[in-house]
Amino acid sequence: MTVVLAGVGADTTNLGALAPLYDDGRFEYVPIPEKNPDTDETETLGSWDLRATDGTAADLTNRIAPQPIGDADRTVAGDALESWPLHRDPNFAALTYGEHRTSGYVERLRALEPGDVVGFYTGLRRPGGDRAHRYLIGYFTVDRVDVVDPDQPRADREAILAAHPDNAHTKRARDGDLYLEKPVVLIDGREPGGLFDRHPIRLSDYYTKPGNERSQYYLREEIATEWAVRAGGENMMYKPAYRCALSGAAFRRRVGRPGDRTADRARLDTEDAAETTD
């Protein structure tokens, strides 16, 4: 039994901005813009309502530069920005998540079993201009894990994708062909799970390590200890996948249920700190 933490959501590299974290503990979750408009996803930057204001995700930026294969110089602005589709991954409403990133992601996610947990973190910034940080914003309990591989027969790929109809990778696949020629892990979840309503948990610190010239984001030592992080490293700059030697039940007890958030839940709960799965 284990927990994997995955870095998700729009940031300065794909949206040109970070989603805000408000003083009352509410925050915005904005999926990354899709790399290619050829998707069955109906949510767009202009239709994605912000939770704490009257705006939409399109109000957070004035242009994006999606980088589909062979079109690295494309810039999208104006009306085209409003109608540009989102890569809704994870989809907290449907409790589904897909991933093709290497550097530990596919390896750690494909090893998850029913009852394990996949947690999601993203970069958030307070509107007043305080230092941005990485925050845990939600999770779900794993129900089913499949891997679709470009080397599989087309019929097998189509069957796996059909079993995950709400997944963003299914929505941009065409006739069983994946957007990228890479294996994709498809995870469907079940409750307890979902997007936090407020009070995300800060995972990062920002400082200059001895011998380095620049400050960077690092995983908080308290998180690494209390959540028994066993893989992923210290540096959070490129959103690594973290594997935690906790059971799903122990993680849920420490973090709480997504729809029942208090300010105390944003702080670490050290109860059952010794309960690991090593």
Side-chain angles (χ1 to χ4, degrees):
M1 304 295 284
T2 191
V3 175
V4 172
L5 306 179
V8 300
D11 58 27
T12 56
T13 66
N14 45 58
L15 187 68
L18 290 175
L21 169 62
Y22 304 103
D23 290 339
D24 64 359
R26 289 182 296 172
F27 64 92
E28 305 295 348
Y29 163 61
V30 179
I32 65 173
E34 186 56 87
K35 289 183 172 64
N36 191 308
D38 188 16
T39 174
D40 296 334
E41 178 58 62
T42 58
E43 287 283 2
T44 68
L45 284 163
S47 72
W48 188 263
D49 290 331
L50 300 180
R51 302 194 297 172
T53 73
D54 292 332
T56 68
D59 295 322
L60 299 177
T61 188
N62 55 25
R63 65 180 59 200
I64 59 172
Q67 296 185 3
I69 298 171
D71 194 9
D73 296 328
R74 181 172 192 171
T75 299
V76 178
D79 291 342
L81 178 69
E82 294 266 343
S83 61
W84 192 266
L86 294 170
H87 185 73
R88 193 176 179 183
D89 200 21
N91 183 331
F92 284 106
L95 296 183
T96 186
Y97 171 56
E99 188 58 75
H100 61 69
R101 281 178 287 180
T102 52
S103 65
Y105 268 89
V106 168
E107 172 192 0
R108 291 163 196 157
L109 290 168
R110 73 188 304 166
L112 291 172
E113 299 176 348
D116 289 342
V117 166
V118 56
F120 302 101
Y121 70 89
T122 195
L124 299 173
R125 186 190 302 278
R126 293 189 182 276
D130 291 349
R131 165 62 56 188
H133 277 289
R134 312 287 199 234
Y135 291 85
L136 184 79
I137 61 168
Y139 67 85
F140 61 65
T141 304
V142 174
D143 187 54
R144 173 175 177 168
V145 180
D146 289 306
V147 179
V148 58
D149 193 298
D151 293 332
Q152 293 168 329
R154 181 182 299 275
D156 292 351
R157 298 196 307 268
E158 290 179 338
I160 294 171
L161 291 167
H164 303 266
D166 295 315
N167 194 280
H169 292 266
T170 297
K171 290 183 177 183
R172 71 179 183 184
R174 290 294 177 264
D175 299 322
D177 290 332
L178 302 169
Y179 175 69
L180 296 176
E181 292 295 307
K182 293 181 177 181
V184 177
V185 181
L186 302 173
I187 304 175
D188 280 355
R190 56 178 169 82
E191 295 184 346
L195 179 66
F196 293 167
D197 55 347
R198 61 182 65 212
H199 301 306
I201 299 173
R202 181 169 62 86
L203 303 186
S204 64
D205 278 326
Y206 186 79
Y207 57 89
T208 304
K209 274 197 163 188
N212 290 355
E213 295 182 357
R214 297 182 179 180
S215 297
Q216 294 193 34
Y217 289 100
Y218 296 97
L219 184 68
R220 292 173 62 193
E221 291 184 4
E222 302 95 320
I223 293 288
T225 299
E226 303 301 339
W227 292 3
V229 174
R230 297 293 186 261
E234 295 179 303
N235 195 308
M236 298 194 77
M237 188 65 67
Y238 298 107
K239 294 182 178 177
Y242 289 103
R243 181 179 63 81
C244 307
L246 286 179
S247 69
F251 180 83
R252 289 188 292 268
R253 282 197 298 272
R254 297 180 193 193
V255 172
R257 289 180 175 265
D260 185 23
R261 305 292 300 162
T262 65
D264 287 341
R265 282 297 189 184
R267 294 187 284 271
L268 291 183
D269 183 354
T270 59
E271 184 179 357
D272 300 326
E275 185 182 346
T276 68
T277 59
D278 286 343

